[in-house]
């Protein structure tokens, strides 16, 4: 029996299943009743604008507005004049594309009008379509929703498409494109198929083990695959949230004592006066955010209030916010005013003493922060493990040559012994900017990973949540339970996995049962 | 009037078949002349499992019901196999895993099949006993003659229910008037049936349970013959009307194994399987089944040899059925498809007796459509059957069914108001599935006749709900059979609690008798009262361990914590309810002395094994 089960569990089974799946979807395809249309390209005057329509009335509408009795060849661009269906007036000369369902983006019949991108042209063509019978303006996202409902995209692909459209940096684009092409979806799909199989074998044992000759070993095998799957998911989850980071932007908090030059640094990084800079200590009270593209990676810098003990109510709140931000960020850049080190350097020539002094300064900063922000233990627990830290000595231009040399040694020692990312810098002369950016890029790319290599990363909290719930359900499976209760946990796990891609179907389980086992009377 | 209907002849025939009780002739005999016997609340067409349940349910609601069946001998409760080999036959058993759940639910709604099975079963076994109570499968081998006889008795003695043997020619359809509401799909309303002799019988609603009569074909080797009523002009009329109404029709196939003469089987070589020592009755109303445990017959297990596979593979060209493009069931494949799909290895075959007073044995797992002489050759290559005589060959059946997405959850068709479909016509297979639909269709046809809202069991309430929801929303591509894996709420939809789930609901709809309702309420009260009692009784772990030692149970009180209630302790599979009698002062006497209650409480406690 065991041999038999192994022998017949072939790739073909999977292929047949998919075929079944596909044939089902095709059956449902093109079922939308309403025909919708919308401007699919951006607003505003441009060379071209694309207007798209989807639904059963597309072919009629296409003929109507082009005053043609026949449709263009599918997926072939043709030149067509567009007329108002009411007045018959010529509206524009355009390129028209006809995609009969199900081989279209939405799975319905789709047509596209590539018209000239003038505001009046767009208005006129949209009005013309609006005047056609049974044609409705699409809601935002409605085309994609149809594609999902018609089985053209799974949920991760839909999300990938959304991310691709919203991508601002090169690496975000790479990640989104991978996801939209279905790589993440197929990874989850693969796991899902494995879990479907586990569930199916357990279910088969429940429903058929007594009538038919299905042996208990099938359950043991299922449990083995379950353990393997559990492990894969665990590894996938231990990615330090790089996919989500890349999607949402790496959060970097700039912290330090008042007047260390944090706001100036922010302004330099984002190349505009985002934060107010004055010589007065404590100018920045609130958190000032700015998004910057660092070597293709999206980074969100937060400039924060200078950290010190104070009685000013507003400033106390500012310090509290700064602390919170530092704790929730993926990375912290601590800005230190190098000129404050001058007295220390003067008094001691021992590098070690300097290092100690420096660490003491940083330590004081940390203590002040701890005092200010006592609320966020939970967040701190979560992220400190992966949180990166970097120290920036600002105002190095104020140092004498000798002092600089000593500082450099201190920095080298810290880098070597403590693994600090540390760098000298001047907001005034921009000295050290390149080194700083290089270092930033290095850390950021480490945080986000290379979106092109390895397994695709999970990009949304939603994926993480369902995977974690899936794992939790799997871990409840203990063979000394009533098998039916175990099956219940497995079903729950499967439901969570299915929700990521949007496939939840019982029938598949039965498909596997009947493909893998000889059940009959 | 009765004379005009030409009924007396039929009735005398019926009476001869019965066991003494006078059938209910209220609407047929003398005094019926005042009543307009040409009008019924509900007409049920077809006397199989679905038809009987439908008719009985409608009659229980107090609706004037007419059950129309094709042939007098096959009337009511026929597992339609004996009368004519042209009719489909299936195995002589009821229940199983998933199916047993359905029988229990039908019984909870006061259906008839569970009670009849308890009377006519000859081998009872609860399957899956090693797994949790949610998947226990009550199953019984049934004596066909007994089943038919008891069912006829039941149906013919039901108040408000009239039985008539007359084929149905057509439906009476009226146009939908605005007062019925505006419906895009529903343009017609069913007002009765036209019988073969041209007589019109009017009714408020009509339930069709005619099984595989639509374009049925029997396949045996290369031979294809019309089955059922094909070529029968009246049946064509009904089929044509349904077709004209715009129903989408699909095609399915199924098969049946050969029968063998039990006296020619060499049982010595075979593994015997006995029934349970204490048979569990299907019906909540029965404390025990009719047959004495020790008188139960046994089933035998054997398997095919590779020689059978060789014969099948060499003779594929002589087998029309397996080449067809029509979808057969994946779970009930013929021996041919088993060999072709899963290779030529020994396949398991159950030998099941068809009754106490017959030698006919059913070969479960051996559906086959080869020419008869090759079938016999195959049989002789099965262990223990080397010398066996085949009394009837197996064959395949192909038939039309109505796409069930055209019916509502009440089983009323969307296209024709007042018309209900139940049973195999909706693409299901199995007696239990048919009975489950029958009872729902019967109840709803009855409710509709008086303008009452439909009775719907949903997926959270029962397997019946899962069955009907699956059918009406997903349709089916193969004969639909119930499995426990189809239900999302398997842990709570158990055979033991079907009464708690459905009886009250059925009582409110009017299809459950006062007696059953009281019994269920009583059980419900006893359960909750005793569970409260168990939960309130707390002792330390050490004390419980002592009690467990007293009754020599293995100790595994995994839970930590200072005090455990008696209910907590019951969750351990080692803790038998009988151990409760060791508790000082014996506060649980009421539970320990009532086996049914004890069993149910143990299950509620979390482990019924």
């Amino acid at each position: 029996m065991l041999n038999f089960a192994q022998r017949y569990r072939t790739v073909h089974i999977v292929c047949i299943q998919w075929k079944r799946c596909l044939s089902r979807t095709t059956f449902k395809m093109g079922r939308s009743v309403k025909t919708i249309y919308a401007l699919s390209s951006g607003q505003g005057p441009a060379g071209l604008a694309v207007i798209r329509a989807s639904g059963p009335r597309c072919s009629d509408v296409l003929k109507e507005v082009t005053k043609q009795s026949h449709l263009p060849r599918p997926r072939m661009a043709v030149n067509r004049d567009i007329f108002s269906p009411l007045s018959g007036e010529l509206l524009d000369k355009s390129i028209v594309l006809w995609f009969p369902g199900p081989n279209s983006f939405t799975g319905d019949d789709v047509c596209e009008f590539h018209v000239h991108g003038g505001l009046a042209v767009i208005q006129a063509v949209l009005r013309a379509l609006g005047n056609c019978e049974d044609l409705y303006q699409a809601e935002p996202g409605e085309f994609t929703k149809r594609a999902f409902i018609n089985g053209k995209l799974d949920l991760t692909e839909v999300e990938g498409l959304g991310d691709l459209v919203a991508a601002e940096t090169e690496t975000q684009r790479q990640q989104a494109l991978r996801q939209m092409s279905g790589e993440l979806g197929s990874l989850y799909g693969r796991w899902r198929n494995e879990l479907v199989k586990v569930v199916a074998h357990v279910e088969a044992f429940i429903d058929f083990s007594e009538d038919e000759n299905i042996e208990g070993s099938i359950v043991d095998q299922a449990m083995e695959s379950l353990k393997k799957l559990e492990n894969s998911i665990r590894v996938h989850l231990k990615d330090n949230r790089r996919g989500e980071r890349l999607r949402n932007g790496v959060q970097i908090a700039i912290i330090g004592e008042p007047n260390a030059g944090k706001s100036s640094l922010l302004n330099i990084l984002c190349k505009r006066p985002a934060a107010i800079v004055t010589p007065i200590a404590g100018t920045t009270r609130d958190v000032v955010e700015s998004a910057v593209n660092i070597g293709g990676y999206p980074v969100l810098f937060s400039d924060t209030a200078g950290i010190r003990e104070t009685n000013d109510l507003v400033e106390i709140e500012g310090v509290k916010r700064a602390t919170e931000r530092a704790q929730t960020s993926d990375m912290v850049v601590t800005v230190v005013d190098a000129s404050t080190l001058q007295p220390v350097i003067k008094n001691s020539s021992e590098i070690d003493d300097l290092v100690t002094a420096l660490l003491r300064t940083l330590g004081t900063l940390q203590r002040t922060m701890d005092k200010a922000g006592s609320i966020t233990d939970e967040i701190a627990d979560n992220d400190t493990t992966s949180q990166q830290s970097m120290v920036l000595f600002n105002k190095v231009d104020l140092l004498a040559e000798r002092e600089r040399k000593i500082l450099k040694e201190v920095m080298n020692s810290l880098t070597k012994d403590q693994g600090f990312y540390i760098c000298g810098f001047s907001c005034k002369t921009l000295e050290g900017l390149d080194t700083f950016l290089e270092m930033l890029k290095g850390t950021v790319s480490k945080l986000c990973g290379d979106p092109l290599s390895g397994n695709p990363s999970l990009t949304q909290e939603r994926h993480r949540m369902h995977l974690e719930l899936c794992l939790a359900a799997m871990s409840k499976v203990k063979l000394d339970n009533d098998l039916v209760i175990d099956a219940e946990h497995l079903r729950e796990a499967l439901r969570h996995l299915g929700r990521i891609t949007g496939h939840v179907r019982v029938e598949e389980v039965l498909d596997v049962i009947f493909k893998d086992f000889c059940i009959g009377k | 009037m009765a004379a005009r209907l030409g009924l007396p002849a039929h009735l005398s025939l019926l009476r001869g078949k019965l066991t003494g009780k006078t059938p209910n002739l209220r609407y047929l005999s003398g005094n019926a002349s005042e009543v307009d016997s040409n009008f019924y609340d509900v007409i049920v067409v077809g006397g199989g499992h679905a038809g009987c349940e439908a008719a009985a349910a409608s009659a229980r609601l107090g609706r004037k019901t007419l059950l129309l069946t094709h042939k007098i001998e096959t009337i009511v409760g026929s597992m339609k196999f004996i009368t004519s080999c042209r009719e489909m036959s299936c195995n002589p058993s009821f229940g199983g895993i998933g199916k047993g759940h359905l029988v229990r639910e039908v019984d909870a709604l006061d259906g008839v099949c569970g009670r009849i099975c308890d009377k006519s079963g000859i081998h009872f076994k609860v399957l899956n006993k090693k797994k949790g109570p949610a998947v226990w499968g009550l199953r019984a081998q049934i004596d066909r003659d007994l089943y038919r006889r008891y069912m006829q008795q039941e149906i013919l003695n039901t108040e408000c229910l009239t039985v008539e043997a007359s084929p149905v020619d057509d439906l009476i359809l009226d146009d939908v008037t605005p007062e019925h509401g505006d419906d895009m799909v529903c343009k017609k309303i069913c007002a009765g049936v036209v019988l073969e002799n041209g007589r019109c019988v009017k009714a408020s609603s009509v339930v069709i349970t005619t099984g595989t009569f639509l374009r049925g074909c029997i396949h045996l080797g290369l031979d294809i013959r019309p089955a059922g009523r094909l070529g029968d002009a009246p049946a064509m009329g009904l089929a044509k009307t349904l077709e004209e109404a715009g129903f989408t029709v699909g095609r399915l196939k199924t098969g049946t194994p050969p029968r063998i003469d039990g006296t020619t089987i060499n049982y010595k070589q075979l593994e015997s399987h006995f029934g349970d020592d204490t048979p569990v009755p299907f019906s909540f109303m029965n404390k025990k089944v009719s047959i004495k445990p020790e008188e139960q017959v046994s089933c035998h297990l054997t398997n095919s040899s590779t020689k059978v596979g060789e014969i099948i593979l060499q003779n594929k060209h002589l087998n029309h059925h397996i080449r067809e493009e029509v979808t057969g069931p994946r779970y009930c494949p013929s021996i041919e498809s088993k060999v072709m799909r899963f290779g030529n290895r020994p396949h398991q075959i159950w030998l099941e007796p068809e009754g106490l007073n017959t030698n006919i044995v059913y070969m479960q797992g051996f559906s086959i459509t080869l020419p008869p002489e090759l079938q016999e050759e195959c049989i002789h290559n099965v262990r223990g059957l080397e010398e066996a005589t085949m009394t009837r060959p197996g064959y395949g059946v192909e038939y039309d069914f109505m796409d069930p997405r055209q019916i509502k959850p009440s089983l009323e068709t969307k296209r024709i108001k007042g018309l209900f479909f139940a049973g195999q016509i909706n693409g299901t297979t199995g007696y239990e599935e048919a009975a489950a639909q029958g009872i729902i269709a019967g109840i709803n046809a009855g409710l509709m006749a008086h303008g009452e809202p439909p009775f719907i069991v949903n997926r959270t309430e029962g397997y019946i709900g899962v069955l009907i929801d699956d059918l009406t929303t997903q349709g089916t591509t193969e004969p639909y059979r119930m499995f426990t894996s189809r239900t999302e709420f398997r842990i709570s939809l158990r055979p033991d609690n079907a009464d708690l789930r459905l009886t009250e609901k059925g009582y409110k709809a009017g299809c459950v008798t006062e007696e059953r309702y009281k019994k269920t309420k009583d059980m419900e009260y006893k359960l909750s009262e005793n569970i409260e009692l168990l939960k309130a009784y707390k002792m330390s772990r050490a004390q419980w361990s002592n009690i467990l030692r007293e009754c020599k149970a293995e100790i595994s009180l995994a839970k930590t914590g200072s005090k455990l209630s008696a209910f907590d302790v019951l969750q351990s599979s080692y803790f038998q309810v009988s151990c409760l009698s060791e508790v000082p002062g014996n506060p649980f006497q009421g539970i320990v002395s009532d086996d049914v209650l004890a069993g149910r409480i143990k299950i509620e406690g979390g482990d019924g094994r």
Side-chain angles (χ1 to χ4, degrees), chain A residues 413-431:
Chain A
S413 151
L414 277 171
T415 310
K416 218 163 68 199
D417 302 339
Q418 316 267 349
F420 270 47
Y421 288 99
I422 195 163
C423 154
F425 183 67
S426 164
C427 286
K428 203 168 178 184
T429 61
L430 296 188
E431 168 188 351

Side-chain angles (χ1 to χ4, degrees), chain A residues 353-402:
Chain A
D353 291 350
L354 278 168
V355 169
T356 321
L358 189 65
L359 287 176
R360 201 180 300 128
T361 321
L362 293 174
T364 319
L365 201 66
Q366 188 61 48
R367 270 194 301 282
T368 324
M369 276 168 59
D370 287 348
K371 243 184 248 169
S374 51
I375 29 107
T376 46
D377 282 350
E378 203 183 310
I379 305 168
D381 276 353
N382 255 348
D383 276 347
T384 39
T385 41
S386 63
Q387 197 181 45
Q388 301 284 330
S389 171
M390 197 167 168
V391 179
L392 195 63
F393 285 104
N394 190 19
K395 309 188 188 176
V396 283
D397 54 306
L398 296 180
L399 298 184
E401 199 57 41
R402 191 185 74 89

Side-chain angles (χ1 to χ4, degrees), chain A residues 203 206 209 211 491 511 521, chain B residues 131 330 348 365 487 490:
Chain A
E203 294 284 343
I206 288 174
S209 67
D211 279 12
R491 287 169 166 207
D511 286 349
K521 59 174 179 177
Chain B
K131 294 164 202 144
R330 292 170 295 178
Q348 183 175 290
T487 58
R490 182 163 60 191

